[in-house]
Amino acid sequence: MTSFLDILLYIQIALCAPCLYRIIRGPTIPDRMVGIDIFGILVVGICGIITVQTGKAFILDIGIAWVILSFIGTLTLAKYLSGKKLNE
Amino acid sequence: MRYVTIFILSLVFWLLITFKFTVPDIAAGAVASAITAAIFGRYYFHNVYKFLQPRRWFWFVVYLVTFIWACIKANFDVAYRVLHPAMPIRPGIVKVKTTLRSDFAKTLLANSITMTPGTITVDIIGDDIYIHWIYIRSEDPAQYTSMVTGRFEEYIKKFAE
Amino acid sequence: MAAIILISIGVIFNIFGCIGLIRLPDMYNRLQAATKCVTLGCCSILVGVMVHYGLGGAGFRALVAIPILFFTATVAAHALVRGAYHFGTKMDERSVKDDYMEAVK
């Protein structure tokens, strides 16, 4: 059972590769930002699986904080894209 | 009254997150919730008595079940389009009219549209919602309006207006 | 055991989302596929965590994380697609309709 969880964890970590591919290769700037946004959501899944695997509940708190910080980061990038100041 | 509502919601959220019921924890949560309520209380919940009507909670549960079912359907839709060798896509941005009035209801409708099969909200200008659709099924505005907003609009109108 | 099944379903959905991120032709379609699949996949993983712990401390934490994830993911996608349109990202040549163009001008 634990080894199966290990496999799931490795798959979930390997899924960061398409996001990195999109960040490095993406033809335009918005493509790269899509990569960053999806990367932020995937990390929450990694935190969830590590929580079940190790039994330490505080890792889930890292996931929650990561969601909110990634949300703020994406909003800032979107503001930059639409060419507005940050206080609008 | 709305300060009290946002204070109670923040405190419940704090207790769910920490899940320790000793006196120092609850005191810290109460102080944090009071600061939150003092700063942000002006912006939300213009009519808090809506929280006390059971009819609205019933329609909220119906909306939630429909929403989760639409999410699961959306995932299989995306999986089909991604895994099909020819990628059957026909994207475009369409304009849909809504009859909802309040900002909160419009936000909920936009979020629901984002999670339903094949659609994502681009912008809301007045009563018009602009939607990017991955496979436009029909050209007739009345037909695609009912396809996109579906039953969400009537449910949201029943519990959030 | 139910927790393992839910986590597996979540990981499979994440795989679909990441395939979409690579294969689809333009930015709007990629964002659409990836946001939907990855958000529901991570929610499924968190439901698995909740089932594994029961309704104790960590279970409630996972339950609180689910609505936060839904709201932030949808609002971030909305802001990103709007910003990309104003930035001037071209849509794919297979696109058939663009009603937003008149509204922006």
Side-chain angles (χ1 to χ4, degrees):
Chain A
M1 186 163 162
T2 314
S3 60
F4 189 59
L5 260 181
D6 278 339
I7 296 170
L8 289 180
L9 180 61
Y10 293 146
I11 294 174
Q12 180 83 8
I13 292 174
L15 284 179
C16 294
C19 299
L20 291 177
Y21 172 81
R22 196 40 77 195
I23 291 172
I24 295 167
R25 188 61 197 286
T28 61
I29 297 172
D31 281 308
R32 299 197 164 93
M33 291 180 183
V34 172
I36 295 170
D37 184 27
I38 302 306
F39 190 80
I41 304 176
L42 275 178
V43 170
V44 184
I46 296 176
C47 287
I49 298 178
I50 293 179
T51 310
V52 174
Q53 198 190 23
T54 62
K56 296 193 171 80
F58 70 89
I59 298 174
L60 212 51
D61 294 343
I62 301 175
I64 295 175
W66 191 287
V67 176
I68 296 168
L69 286 179
S70 143
F71 170 61
I72 294 169
T74 309
L75 279 191
T76 315
L77 292 176
K79 280 284 181 195
Y80 159 71
L81 275 186
S82 52
K84 286 180 181 170
K85 295 271 167 43
L86 287 179
N87 56 6
E88 277 182 64
Chain B
M1 189 63 202
R2 59 174 99 141
Y3 291 93
V4 177
T5 311
I6 204 161
F7 175 76
I8 293 171
L9 283 179
S10 317
L11 193 59
V12 166
F13 185 73
W14 170 274
L15 288 179
L16 281 181
I17 289 263
T18 60
F19 214 71
K20 274 187 238 156
F21 297 103
T22 56
V23 173
D25 275 313
I26 295 177
V31 170
S33 308
I35 293 171
T36 311
I39 296 174
F40 295 107
R42 280 176 290 150
Y43 300 114
Y44 302 105
F45 306 129
H46 295 288
N47 191 359
V48 292
Y49 297 103
K50 282 179 186 171
F51 275 96
L52 303 177
Q53 297 171 355
R55 186 170 54 86
R56 291 183 189 273
W57 287 100
F58 169 72
W59 285 111
F60 178 68
V61 171
V62 172
Y63 161 76
L64 213 58
V65 172
T66 320
F67 179 65
I68 292 170
W69 173 240
C71 281
I72 295 168
K73 237 175 21 183
N75 274 273
F76 284 107
D77 183 70
V78 169
Y80 163 70
R81 290 196 198 294
V82 163
L83 295 179
H84 196 285
M87 273 198 295
I89 60 171
R90 197 162 167 261
I93 295 180
V94 297
K95 186 169 86 172
V96 163
K97 277 214 178 304
T98 177
T99 54
L100 297 173
R101 284 283 161 264
S102 69
D103 283 347
F104 178 64
K106 275 182 196 167
T107 313
L108 268 184
L109 182 64
N111 271 4
S112 315
I113 286 171
T114 300
M115 292 315 279
T116 45
T119 51
I120 190 166
T121 311
V122 179
D123 205 351
I124 302 178
I125 301 176
D127 278 346
D128 301 331
I129 302 182
Y130 294 88
I131 290 165
H132 182 267
W133 202 352
I134 202 168
Y135 191 90
I136 296 182
R137 293 210 190 91
S138 77
E139 298 289 331
D140 180 26
Q143 206 172 356
Y144 64 62
T145 300
S146 73
M147 253 182 220
V148 168
T149 58
R151 282 166 294 171
F152 291 125
E153 191 164 353
E154 49 178 310
Y155 292 156
I156 290 174
K157 189 178 265 180
K158 274 173 184 153
F159 80 81
E161 283 278 285
Chain C
M1 199 57 214
I4 301 287
I5 294 170
L6 279 168
I7 292 176
S8 313
I9 292 172
V11 171
I12 290 169
F13 277 143
N14 283 348
I15 293 174
F16 289 153
C18 286
I19 293 174
L21 198 60
I22 293 183
R23 273 198 79 194
L24 286 171
D26 71 340
M27 180 260 164
Y28 302 99
N29 296 321
R30 274 180 210 138
L31 180 68
Q32 197 171 121
T35 303
K36 276 186 195 112
C37 275
V38 174
T39 307
L40 199 88
C42 285
C43 284
S44 179
I45 289 175
L46 288 174
V47 172
V49 174
M50 199 190 76
V51 170
H52 182 263
Y53 276 96
L55 284 179
F60 272 121
R61 249 174 255 173
L63 194 62
V64 168
I66 292 171
I68 295 177
L69 189 57
F70 258 97
F71 268 95
T72 56
T74 48
V75 173
H78 170 94
L80 208 52
V81 69
R82 185 167 179 275
Y85 198 96
H86 285 273
F87 186 72
T89 312
K90 293 272 184 300
M91 291 171 74
D92 191 50
E93 66 266 12
R94 271 176 278 182
S95 307
V96 290
K97 208 166 162 59
D98 192 354
D99 283 344
Y100 192 45
M101 200 184 279
E102 303 115 49
V104 174
K105 274 173 197 162

